[in-house]
Amino acid sequence: MTTTASVSTHILDTSLGRPAQGVTVRLSARAGSGADWRPLGEGTTDADGRCRDLPAPPGDTAQVRLDFAVEPYLAGSAGERGDAFFPEVTATFAVRAGEHYHVPLLLSPFGYSVYRGS
């Protein structure tokens, strides 16, 4: 029996050199490129920048999307930083059943990077 994929994430604020706490992360999935996105759930990053309560995608999932609502965090983390240039970050990636996908977000007020971690 093949198990579903699993997804985890964390956020590091590279401009401050610390985890980004309090960021809402939404998880969606779809069966393929032409299919509709299905919202699966959301969580909030903890003091370690980790979002620990994301659900497992359904077995027919081929693509996953993580939506990071970073604007409130960037606006509140340091008043002198001003408005967020990127109010939200979306990472869409392909998945295979039985594999784990850890997708960290490296965040600063004027840029970001995501990658497949371990």
Side-chain angles (χ1 to χ4, degrees):
M1 182 173 125
T2 304
T3 60
T4 186
S6 61
V7 177
S8 63
T9 189
H10 76 272
I11 305 173
L12 176 64
D13 184 331
T14 57
S15 68
L16 299 176
R18 67 177 187 218
Q21 182 177 5
V23 177
T24 300
V25 180
R26 292 178 189 83
L27 175 69
S28 302
R30 64 183 179 184
S33 293
D36 291 332
W37 286 106
R38 294 174 289 183
L40 299 180
E42 70 178 50
T44 303
T45 56
D46 61 16
D48 203 27
R50 298 186 181 280
C51 189
R52 299 184 189 272
D53 50 2
L54 295 175
D60 67 341
T61 299
Q63 297 176 350
V64 168
R65 181 174 69 195
L66 290 170
D67 293 304
F68 301 90
V70 299
E71 185 173 35
Y73 168 80
L74 289 171
S77 63
E80 70 277 1
R81 291 179 2 167
D83 294 334
F85 183 69
F86 294 105
E88 59 189 46
V89 172
T90 300
T92 303
F93 51 98
V95 298
R96 288 185 165 193
E99 292 194 32
H100 176 69
Y101 297 87
H102 182 67
V103 182
L105 171 63
L106 304 178
L107 179 66
S108 76
F110 298 103
Y112 64 89
S113 177
V114 295
Y115 61 96
R116 183 175 180 185
S118 59

